Amino acid sequence: KAGVTQTPRYLIKTRGQQVTLSCSPISGHRSVSWYQQTPGQGLQFLFEYFSETQRNKGNFPGRFSGRQFSNSRSEMNVSTLELGDSALYLCASSPGLAGVGTRRETQYFGPGTRLLVL
Amino acid sequence: KQEVTQIPAALSVPEGENLVLNCSFTDSAIYNLQWFRQDPGKGLTSLLLIQSSQREQTSGRLNASLDKSSGRSTLYIAASQPGDSATYLCAVPGGTSYGKLTFGQGTILTVHP
């Protein structure tokens, strides 16, 4: 089975621009979560999607948004980029099996998208 | 609010040594605990997941233990190799928060030949 894939792998943007990152989960997985990783703050949860619905959101400003499509692929968008948005953005997928709950499942991470804001 | 702490922040050992990485968490009402490995600039690789009902989980040279009551987990690496050099992260899911993992800051491990 192919793993979690993320595109693009690297991005350079300037302040004020917006960016869209894409994540394709492992085939059959229905839950997709997004994380931001920075040297100072470590790994921080952004949001989680399941069956095209956002079920959970972390403490990030409204400039960070996301969506999930019917094939479980997910995108996240950051508008009006700031220098502090420079980070490694990781997505993770899990099966989302009925009766198990995503909280009991292993999360599988993609390679990440490295975003640099100048 | 769940907080996860990892000690030590960095560890340097000679090849062949057995070592222990520590992870502690403040809220013991967890479903499981997951250990990850991250190579520089890369994503996370899941190493082991211990369910709350388990005490130990093993995979090759890795052994993870979980003590929910004391809020602790350890990752034991036997006969370390230079290829084990990476950052090791532990994470626990939120009690009622879908998809959210709370991570420790990680332990940077260097195994020198």
Side-chain angles (χ1 to χ4, degrees), chain B residues 3 5-6 12-14 39-40 55 67 87 90-91 106 108 111-112:
Chain B
E3 292 183 2
T5 304
Q6 291 187 244
S12 180
V13 300
D39 293 292
R55 297 283 299 205
D67 184 343
T87 298
C90 65
I108 302 172
V111 181
H112 49 88

Side-chain angles (χ1 to χ4, degrees), chain A residues 9-10 31 33 35 37-45 48 55-56 58 88 90 101-112 114, chain B residues 1 30-32 34 36 38 40-46 48-49 51-52 87 89 93-105:
Chain A
R9 295 293 311 280
Y10 303 94
S31 171
S33 299
Y35 295 83
Q37 187 177 30
T38 59
Q41 298 297 318
L43 275 151
Q44 293 186 290
F45 173 76
E48 189 257 4
R55 294 194 300 187
N56 198 7
L88 180 65
L90 295 162
T102 55
R103 288 162 290 181
R104 298 185 184 277
E105 298 174 333
T106 299
Q107 288 198 20
Y108 298 89
F109 281 76
R114 173 77 62 184
Chain B
K1 178 188 169 189
I30 61 170
Y31 288 91
N32 56 57
Q34 198 165 353
F36 293 91
Q38 185 175 33
K42 303 290 180 63
L44 277 63
T45 300
S46 178
L48 290 164
L49 180 143
Q51 298 291 357
S52 59
T87 298
L89 296 141
T96 56
S97 298
Y98 292 105
K100 177 181 178 180
L101 290 176
T102 300
F103 284 85
Q105 289 294 324

